[in-house]
C-alpha cells in the first residue's frame, strides 16, 4: 500500500514540474492547467477509493495511521499543485494584460505618426496652394503692369501728351518698384517737352537722374534736359548739363551726342 501512495506522489510531482517549466507560454500553459486539473481530480478519487477499501480491509490501526499520514501528504501535494495552478493563472492574466497594453500603446503611436504625416501633407498642400496663388497673382500683376505702360506709350504716340503724362504718372504711383518706372518718368519729361513746358520737362528728367542714377535712362534724361535748356534759351545751363553728362555717363550713346553738340558750340 505504501508503494502505491509513493507512486501516486511521484506522479503528481512529475506532472507539476513541466507545468512550472512552461509558465510563460500562454497556450501551452492553459493546456497544462487543464491536464493537471483532470489528473488531480482523478488522483483524488483514486486516493479516496483506496483509502476506503484499506479502512474496511485492514484492521491494524498502525497501518491505518501510516496510510492516513501518507494521505495527508498527498493532500498537501494536491494543495501545492492547486497553488501552482493559481500562480500560473495569475501569470497568464498578467501576460495578457501586458499584451493588451502593448497593443494599445502601439496603436496610439501609429495613430500619432499617421496624424503627423497627414498634418505634414496638409501643410505642404497649403504651401503649394499659396505658392500657386502667389504665382498667379504675380503673373496677373505683371500683365496689368505691362498693359498700363503700353497704354501710356500709345497715348504719347497719338500725340495725346496730357493723357500720356497722366497715365505715366499713374503707372509710377501704382508700380513704384517696376523696372519700367524710370522709363515712365523719362516719358513724362518728354511729354512736357512736346508741350513746350520746359521747366516741367527739366524737373521730370532731374527726377529720373536723382531716383535712378544707375539706370540707362538717366543719361537720356540728362541729354533731354540739355535740349530743354537750349530751347528755353539758356545756353550756359545747356553746356553745363552736357559736360556733366560726359563726366557721369561717358560711355553711353547720350554722351556721344553730347560731344557732338559741344563741338558745334
Amino acid at each position: 500500500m505504501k508503494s502505491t501512495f509513493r507512486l501516486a506522489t511521484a506522479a503528481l510531482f512529475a506532472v507539476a514540474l513541466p507545468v512550472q517549466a512552461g509558465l510563460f507560454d500562454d497556450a501551452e500553459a492553459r493546456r497544462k492547467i487543464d491536464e493537471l486539473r483532470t489528473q488531480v481530480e482523478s488522483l483524488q478519487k483514486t486516493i479516496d477509493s483506496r483509502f476506503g477499501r484499506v479502512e474496511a480491509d485492514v484492521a491494524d490501526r498502525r497501518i491505518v495511521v501510516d496510510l492516513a499520514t501518507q494521505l495527508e501528504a498527498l493532500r498537501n501535494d494536491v494543495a501545492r499543485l492547486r497553488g501552482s495552478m493559481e500562480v500560473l493563472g495569475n501569470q497568464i492574466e498578467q501576460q495578457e494584460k501586458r499584451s493588451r497594453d502593448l497593443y494599445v500603446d502601439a496603436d496610439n503611436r501609429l495613430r500619432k505618426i499617421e496624424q503627423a504625416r497627414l498634418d505634414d501633407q496638409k501643410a505642404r498642400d497649403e504651401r503649394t496652394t499659396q505658392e500657386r496663388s502667389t504665382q498667379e497673382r504675380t503673373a496677373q500683376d505683371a500683365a496689368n503692369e505691362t498693359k498700363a505702360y503700353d497704354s501710356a506709350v500709345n497715348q504719347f504716340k497719338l500725340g495725346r501728351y496730357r493723357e500720356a503724362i497722366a497715365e505715366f504718372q499713374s503707372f509710377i504711383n501704382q508700380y513704384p518698384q517696376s523696372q519700367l518706372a524710370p522709363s515712365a518718368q523719362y516719358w513724362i519729361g518728354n511729354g512736357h517737352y512736346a508741350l513746350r513746358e520746359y521747366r516741367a520737362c527739366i524737373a521730370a528728367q532731374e527726377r529720373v537722374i536723382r531716383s535712378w542714377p544707375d539706370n540707362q535712362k538717366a543719361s537720356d534724361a540728362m541729354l533731354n534736359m540739355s535740349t530743354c535748356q537750349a530751347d528755353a534759351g539758356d545756353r550756359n545751363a545747356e553746356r553745363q548739363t552736357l559736360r556733366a553728362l560726359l563726366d557721369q555717363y561717358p560711355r553711353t550713346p547720350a554722351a556721344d551726342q553730347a560731344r557732338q553738340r559741344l563741338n558745334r558750340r
Side-chain angles (χ1 to χ4, degrees), residues 129-232:
T129 301
Q130 291 175 355
E131 289 172 358
R132 289 176 180 174
S133 178
T134 300
Q135 292 173 354
E136 291 174 358
R137 287 197 302 270
T138 300
Q140 185 62 44
D141 289 345
N144 292 338
E145 177 182 327
T146 301
K147 182 178 179 181
Y149 183 83
D150 290 344
S151 176
V153 170
N154 289 333
Q155 293 286 10
F156 192 94
K157 290 178 179 179
L158 294 172
R160 299 172 181 172
Y161 303 120
R162 296 285 181 199
E163 291 82 354
I165 291 171
E167 289 194 19
F168 279 123
Q169 187 60 57
S170 176
F171 176 87
I172 293 172
N173 293 339
Q174 189 171 0
Y175 305 102
Q177 304 302 321
S178 171
Q179 295 181 351
L180 295 173
S183 295
Q185 184 62 39
Y186 171 78
W187 282 108
I188 289 175
N190 283 344
H192 286 299
Y193 177 78
L195 294 171
R196 300 184 182 281
E197 298 172 349
Y198 301 129
R199 289 186 178 180
C201 170
I202 293 171
Q205 303 299 12
E206 283 179 339
R207 183 179 177 188
V208 176
I209 300 167
R210 183 175 61 255
S211 299
W212 301 279
D214 297 327
N215 189 274
Q216 63 181 5
K217 284 298 181 182
S219 60
D220 293 337
M222 191 170 286
L223 183 64
N224 187 254
M225 279 178 58
S226 68
T227 302
C228 290
Q229 291 163 344
D231 290 355

Side-chain angles (χ1 to χ4, degrees), residues 233-246:
D234 192 346
R235 296 296 180 178
N236 290 330
E238 176 197 9
R239 285 191 292 272
Q240 290 177 1
T241 300
L242 292 173
R243 292 192 183 99
L245 173 56
L246 291 173

